[in-house]
Amino acid sequence: MHITRTLALAATAAAALAVGTAIPAAGATPPDDSGVPSYQEFAASTYRDIDGSYLVNGDEVISGQSDLRSFYEQLVGPETPTDGLIVNTVNGADDKWSAAQVGSLTYCVSTKFGTRHADVVSAMASGAALWESASSKIDFVHVSSADGQCTTRNKSVVFSVEPVQTSQYIARAFFPSSPNRQQNVLIDDSIWSSGSWTPANILGHELGHTLGFRHEHTRPESGTCFEDNNWRPLTPYDSASIMHYPQCNGSSDDLSMTNSDRAGAVALYGS
């Protein structure tokens, strides 16, 4: 996403939030009756510098979308969740784990990651925590004793996390309905050089798939990147969702989790 607003407009937008005056982005929908621009409108109206950072209050730097949302919420409070996730469906039924299984999603991290093993363990824990903090019903459990024999054939864990060498993707995962032989998360070395996409957020996205969540951009509202119609909406469309590719008309560039992502997790698995 590239924003070419003036510095003055960025400062005005921040000031407008403080006093409750709307500064909508060009082409954006009007703000609600409160007169406060939505986060999407605020982000679109905030100047983005040549290094990708945002400028607020005239000359203050904010590094990315996650910090910009925090800045917005400090001014006006969290937005009411009005958007969220979609769940994969199989023959019309939600593709999800049972209540018992989602509370014990065990996994191993292959020692074949070598010197990056500890880094993968840490990134997986951080990515898992995004969903665990959304719903207390969700619990990813690293079984380190299985790391030495970490493949889909290891029946002591639900899924494996393994290295792969490919130019086709950074990482890939599976759905709850996937056959056992495909229940793994594969990670390419490019995960360590993906710019604003941190390993934790990338794996948070992939773990969203393991919970049954589809790419948000397959919805018609995104206008691109359509996949199929085998999904059910949990909440309205969210262009900033962790499950929405930024390059598919997404409004977040760092795959960070939104309040609506959390609401979608609760809608599927409970609070």
Side-chain angles (χ1 to χ4, degrees):
M1 180 176 62
H2 299 283
I3 303 299
T4 55
R5 299 290 178 184
T6 65
L7 181 61
L9 179 56
T12 304
L17 285 169
V19 300
T21 303
I23 304 293
T29 56
D32 58 31
D33 293 339
S34 69
V36 177
S38 69
Y39 170 72
Q40 306 298 346
E41 293 164 339
F42 173 62
S45 299
T46 302
Y47 177 75
R48 195 158 192 190
D49 214 339
I50 57 174
D51 61 357
S53 62
Y54 293 89
L55 289 182
V56 298
N57 295 336
D59 61 355
E60 296 176 12
V61 176
I62 290 183
S63 60
Q65 282 272 353
S66 179
D67 290 338
L68 186 66
R69 184 179 285 273
S70 296
F71 174 82
Y72 172 92
E73 292 181 353
Q74 287 174 7
L75 292 175
V76 303
E79 289 185 291
T80 300
T82 58
D83 39 25
L85 297 175
I86 59 177
V87 62
N88 189 50
T89 58
V90 179
N91 297 323
D94 289 349
D95 189 0
K96 58 181 288 191
W97 299 103
S98 67
Q101 187 65 83
V102 79
S104 184
L105 291 173
T106 55
Y107 66 91
C108 56
V109 178
S110 175
T111 54
K112 290 182 179 179
F113 282 106
T115 58
R116 283 293 193 179
H117 179 263
D119 295 327
V120 176
V121 169
S122 177
M124 278 291 297
S126 296
L130 296 175
W131 298 106
E132 293 166 338
S133 66
S135 170
S136 62
K137 306 295 185 182
I138 299 170
D139 190 14
F140 290 95
V141 181
H142 176 209
V143 181
S144 59
S145 60
D147 288 356
Q149 296 180 323
C150 188
T151 71
T152 57
R153 294 186 297 275
N154 192 327
K155 302 307 178 185
S156 66
V157 292
V158 174
F159 67 96
S160 59
V161 181
E162 304 175 59
V164 68
Q165 292 183 344
T166 181
S167 60
Q168 299 302 306
Y169 55 79
I170 298 172
R172 77 112 172 100
F174 61 94
F175 290 124
S177 62
S178 299
N180 290 341
R181 67 181 183 278
Q182 295 176 359
Q183 291 192 359
N184 54 12
V185 174
L186 300 181
I187 303 174
D188 181 69
D189 277 346
S190 58
I191 196 172
W192 311 113
S193 56
S194 298
S196 61
W197 298 13
T198 67
N201 284 359
I202 291 171
L203 292 179
H205 174 99
E206 297 304 329
L207 291 177
H209 287 313
T210 73
L211 292 169
F213 301 123
R214 289 290 302 274
H215 286 140
E216 188 76 358
H217 51 258
T218 197
R219 296 199 194 201
E221 292 94 328
S222 76
T224 187
C225 299
F226 174 77
E227 296 170 353
D228 60 51
N229 289 313
N230 297 321
W231 50 269
R232 178 179 72 86
L234 297 166
T235 51
Y237 172 66
D238 179 10
S239 63
S241 170
I242 191 174
M243 302 308 297
H244 198 306
Y245 284 170
Q247 65 268 34
C248 293
N249 287 340
S251 58
S252 172
D253 62 358
D254 59 4
L255 291 180
S256 58
M257 178 171 276
T258 67
N259 287 337
S260 51
D261 288 327
R262 298 181 184 95
V266 169
L268 188 62
Y269 287 110
S271 61

